[in-house]
Amino acid sequence: EIVMTQSPATLSVSPGERATLSCRASQSVGSKLAWYQQRPGQVPRLLIFGASARATGIPARFSGSGSGTEFTLTISSLQSEDFAVYYCQQYHSWPPITFGQGTRLEIK
Amino acid sequence: QVQLQQSGPGLVKPSETLSLTCSVSGAAIRTSSFYWGWVRQSPGKGLEWIGSVSHSGTTYYDPSLKSRVTISVDTSNNHFSLRLTSVAAADTAIYFCSRSPSYPYQYIDVWGQGTAVTVSS
């Protein structure tokens, strides 16, 4: 099973600033990495797939990068609606599909 | 636009079977290449993949749940289902049904609304 580790657990950033979230895989997942956003009380939403492709309707301020075992989600110029929990997920080697434990992005 | 609508009980007794259904609108399970699955989220915790099924009935399960899980499709009624046997308190969670684009691209691009299931007597 591939273990996904996200850091930091909590990230405090001011509105308008940039946020950088990290995800590490215990072994290479190539580019088969997705990112999700989950606002409180809501269903997760797909942001990024294939490590860097934005899903339909996702604003350009969200970008993904990386390959192999190291990945980054960058949110430029944070908006109020961006404060949420973010999860990475690998789909390179499955079953099982595995998620990271999440990074909580909070307002500074 | 594909939508997933979940149904099923919110309370299940310990040792009994949890059963949830996910109705699909906007796509026909029978003719699509999509994979249909289930993910759960324990209170205050992260996301846990349970398993998925293709239109032809090919299934994939999380090894830790495999002995208790069955995911099946009903192409006639355009829905798919989750059965989890011998539930315990640790199975208390919000259960989401999901869609993935195709094999092997198992990221989730459509989610159901979620069903909060409590295991309690």
Side-chain angles (χ1 to χ4, degrees):
Chain A
E1 172 177 327
I2 296 178
V3 177
M4 308 301 292
T5 303
Q6 293 185 239
S7 61
T10 302
L11 182 62
S12 299
V13 183
S14 300
E17 295 191 340
R18 174 190 298 258
T20 302
L21 289 68
S22 296
C23 175
R24 174 177 292 178
S26 60
Q27 62 192 77
S28 177
V29 300
S31 294
K32 291 190 173 66
L33 190 285
W35 289 95
Y36 301 86
Q37 175 194 67
Q38 188 176 31
R39 297 173 178 142
Q42 294 193 15
V43 175
R45 176 174 73 145
L46 176 68
L47 298 175
I48 301 287
F49 63 93
S52 61
R54 271 191 303 277
T56 302
I58 301 303
R61 65 180 181 273
F62 291 90
S63 63
S65 63
S67 66
T69 62
E70 301 284 343
F71 299 88
T72 300
L73 174 69
T74 301
I75 313 169
S76 63
S77 189
L78 281 162
Q79 308 296 303
S80 58
E81 62 267 28
D82 299 335
F83 292 95
V85 179
Y86 292 83
Y87 296 96
C88 62
Q89 175 230 328
Q90 69 82 21
Y91 52 98
H92 173 76
S93 177
W94 62 280
I97 289 163
T98 49
F99 292 89
Q101 81 279 17
T103 289
R104 180 179 304 277
L105 181 57
E106 63 176 28
I107 299 175
K108 187 174 182 179
Chain B
Q1 181 180 351
V2 174
Q3 292 188 316
L4 305 179
Q5 180 68 38
Q6 300 177 220
S7 59
L11 181 63
V12 183
K13 291 182 167 56
S15 80
E16 295 192 346
T17 297
L18 180 162
S19 295
L20 297 173
T21 296
C22 187
S23 297
V24 179
S25 60
I29 291 179
R30 180 198 314 270
T31 57
S32 69
S33 62
F34 302 122
Y35 271 64
W36 311 93
W38 294 90
V39 173
R40 70 181 182 180
Q41 186 170 35
S42 300
K45 299 292 179 63
L47 301 168
E48 179 184 16
W49 181 76
I50 298 171
S52 61
V53 63
S54 72
H55 72 282
S56 64
T58 302
T59 53
Y60 300 90
Y61 298 128
D62 186 296
S64 69
L65 296 171
K66 189 173 183 177
S67 63
R68 298 194 291 132
V69 172
T70 303
I71 298 175
S72 58
V73 290
D74 180 343
T75 55
S76 298
N77 292 298
N78 215 42
H79 68 230
F80 61 102
S81 300
L82 168 70
R83 281 173 47 90
L84 180 66
T85 62
S86 303
V87 298
D91 295 310
T92 293
I94 299 174
Y95 287 75
F96 298 98
C97 63
S98 65
R99 185 195 82 168
S100 296
S102 65
Y103 183 92
Y105 302 101
Q106 295 292 292
Y107 57 88
I108 297 169
D109 60 354
V110 182
W111 296 74
Q113 81 274 22
T115 300
V117 177
T118 300
V119 178
S120 175
S121 56

